[in-house]
Amino acid sequence: MNVLSRSCRLACAALMLFAATAKAEPEPAALVDQHHCMFCHTRDAPFLAPSFEQIAARYRNEPNARIMLEHKLRLGGKAHWGDMAMPLPADRGGPISAEDAHTLVQWVLSQ
Ligand code: HEC
């Protein structure tokens, strides 16, 4: 009886953990698709652009980075990684609202 309830508790905890991580993903994914972020970026391998893991590692602990990145996503700015600046939103999927930029930057920095 004891063993049974313990293994049930473990299984339930694992299920809940899975549900929690699975739920965290889809929200920005629609935005990421809509704005073609993965056309140039990947999560973990630099390709046409730095990977989101590299970007997260560089900015995660910089208190003002979020504001700068949200601004840059919406309005552009100078290149920080090389010669090629990120194209403006109009050349990607269309304008990005302040809220969407916030969501996207939160997501990138959590990679
Ligand atoms: C057409 C290619 C392209 C697309 C599409 C693209 N990026 Fe980028 N991105 C780049 C390049 C190139 C850089 C490096 C620019 C630089 O040196 O600052 C970059 C840099 C970044 C940075 C770091 C900026 C900095 O100042 O360090 C973030 C954050 C970012 N991209 C997020 C996104 C998100 C979110 C999307 C989707 C909304 C997206 N990118 C779509 C090419 C792209």
Side-chain angles (χ1 to χ4, degrees):
M1 174 64 189
N2 248 345
V3 175
L4 191 69
S5 66
R6 191 179 320 142
S7 63
C8 176
R9 229 179 293 148
L10 264 181
C12 294
L15 263 179
M16 275 162 59
L17 200 70
F18 177 74
T21 46
K23 236 168 88 191
E25 293 277 329
E27 202 213 328
L31 283 173
V32 169
D33 273 0
Q34 187 188 338
H35 295 285
H36 310 298
C37 308
M38 296 326 219
F39 188 78
C40 303
H41 292 274
T42 70
R43 183 169 299 206
D44 55 5
F47 169 49
L48 295 171
S51 74
F52 285 146
E53 279 179 2
Q54 284 179 303
I55 296 172
R58 175 165 171 172
Y59 294 115
R60 198 179 284 131
N61 297 322
E62 278 193 37
N64 297 324
R66 283 161 205 262
I67 311 277
M68 181 281 285
L69 292 174
E70 285 171 26
H71 190 269
K72 185 164 175 175
L73 267 189
R74 299 185 63 209
L75 305 169
K78 67 178 170 65
H80 287 146
W81 295 84
D83 299 333
M84 183 177 149
M86 190 153 76
L88 292 173
D91 301 324
R92 303 192 313 251
I96 299 185
S97 72
E99 272 173 21
D100 288 355
H102 184 74
T103 307
L104 284 165
V105 168
Q106 292 280 97
W107 175 75
V108 170
L109 295 188
S110 71
Q111 298 300 298

